[in-house]
């Protein structure tokens, strides 16, 4: 690791470049640990995303759909794990779940396991990506317009800087908080956690084109347009489609309502609680709209980022 290039990044931590992507230095060793320890099961579902693209929502939807027999998406007032836990504590990140590196945390999760990751496709454990026979489990990826992703990142970091600073003091030097313009430049250079975003998304896009049964590609914008339709797609991909009886009973509607931004944001656990990693839950819920970038970025900034993305994706079938 010491031989890998380092640079300041946004979020403002020391970044290290590995495998064509920039990683927060203090987390890179956990990516390597997961390669050594993680043993996939055929029933695993891995929720993959670039940060700030809808990870929290996808975790809530997938968890609620997969566990609806044990935990019905009950009417208001009845108990559900999402009422008491952040989606991030119900679905743990593969690369952060096992900081002791002995693989035990993954083993303790009963099948079918739901896990999450921000790691690029090409840097996932080979045991997940190296086979097409189903033994590596399935992957759902959510993507989002880079302009909204950056703006979401910016607001998130305004809220979490103090906590992340404390974590960085333990795990590695952090950098001074950049201005909005400086952060934007770093994001454009790809110097963001698991960046550049467009390359991250392109890898999962290409994997979903090669193996649509293994990798489901979703868009945050589509989830917002049609939450019930997206939820049906998610459940079918996890091999637990909704039955006609469940449809008639309004289970889809109830899960969509339970996982909506309004519901989750209003819960006590998400207003005042913190995740197991010590991050304030409320930082994960903001306004959840498409096009919020236009309230923060100049047209010139937007055109610059669009241009960088278009150039990077030239020759591919991916569009944002
Ligand atoms: P905004 O900052 O644009 O509002 P992530 O979960 O990957 O960290 O992404 C965070 C973004 O998803 C934030 O976007 C947040 O508001 C939005 N989000 C979180 N929960 C959501 C939900 N249940 N429905 C819709 N959007 C949600």
């Amino acid at each position: 690791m010491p031989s890998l290039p380092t640079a300041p990044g946004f979020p403002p931590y020391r970044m290290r470049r590995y495998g064509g992507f920039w990683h927060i230095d203090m987390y890179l060793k956990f990516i390597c640990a997961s390669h050594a320890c993680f043993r996939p099961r055929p029933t695993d579902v891995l929720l993959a995303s670039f940060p700030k693209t809808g990870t929290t929502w996808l975790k809530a939807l997938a968890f609620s759909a997969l566990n609806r027999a044990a935990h019905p998406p009950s009417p208001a007032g009845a108990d559900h794990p999402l009422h008491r836990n952040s989606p991030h504590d119900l679905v743990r990140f593969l690369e952060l779940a096992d900081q002791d590196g002995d693989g035990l945390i993954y083993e303790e999760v009963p099948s079918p396991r739901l896990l999450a990751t921000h790691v690029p496709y090409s840097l996932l454990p080979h045991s997940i990506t190296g086979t097409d026979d189903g033994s590596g489990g399935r992957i759902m990826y959510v993507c989002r317009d880079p302009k909204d992703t950056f703006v979401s990142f910016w607001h998130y970091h305004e809220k979490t800087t103090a906590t992340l600073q404390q974590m960085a003091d333990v795990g590695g030097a952090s950098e001074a908080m950049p201005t909005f313009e400086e952060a934007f430049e770093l994001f454009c250079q790809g110097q963001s956690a698991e960046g550049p975003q467009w390359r991250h998304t392109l890898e999962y896009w290409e994997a979903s084109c090669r193996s649509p049964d293994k990798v489901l590609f979703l868009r945050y914008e589509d989830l917002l347009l049609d939450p019930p339709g997206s939820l049906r797609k998610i459940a079918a991909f996890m091999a637990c489609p909704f039955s006609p009886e469940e449809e008639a009973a309004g289970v889809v509607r109830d899960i969509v309502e339970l996982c909506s931004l309004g519901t989750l944001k209003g819960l006590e656990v998400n207003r005042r609680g913190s995740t197991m990693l010590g991050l304030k839950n409320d930082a994960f819920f903001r306004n959840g709209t498409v096009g919020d970038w236009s309230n923060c970025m100049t047209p010139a900034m937007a055109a610059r980022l669009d241009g960088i993305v278009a150039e990077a994706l030239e020759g591919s079938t991916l569009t944002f």
Side-chain angles (χ1 to χ4, degrees), residues 20-33:
F21 292 88
W22 290 94
H23 312 269
I24 296 181
D25 188 27
M26 62 182 162
Y27 295 146
L28 185 53
K29 57 179 178 284
F30 301 131
I31 298 180
C32 303

Side-chain angles (χ1 to χ4, degrees), residues 41 43-45 63 66-67 71 90 104-115:
R41 300 177 194 158
T43 51
D44 285 345
V45 177
F63 178 89
L66 194 64
N67 295 290
H71 304 294
L90 295 174
L104 290 177
I105 286 178
Y106 312 126
E107 295 305 321
E108 282 165 8
V109 181
S111 295
R113 290 186 300 192
L114 257 187
L115 292 161

Side-chain angles (χ1 to χ4, degrees), residues 49-58 60 88 118 142 144 148-149 151-153 155-156 220 224 258-262 264-265 283-289 292:
S49 60
F50 189 81
K52 313 326 294 171
T53 61
T55 319
T56 314
W57 194 10
L58 185 59
H88 293 289
H118 285 323
V142 61
R144 189 179 192 188
D148 282 334
T149 304
V151 166
S152 182
F153 234 139
H155 290 294
Y156 174 79
Y220 182 79
L224 278 178
L258 173 67
C259 299
S260 70
L261 183 64
L264 293 182
K265 195 175 176 175
F284 292 94
F285 306 95
R286 202 173 60 94
N287 58 7
T289 54
D292 188 39

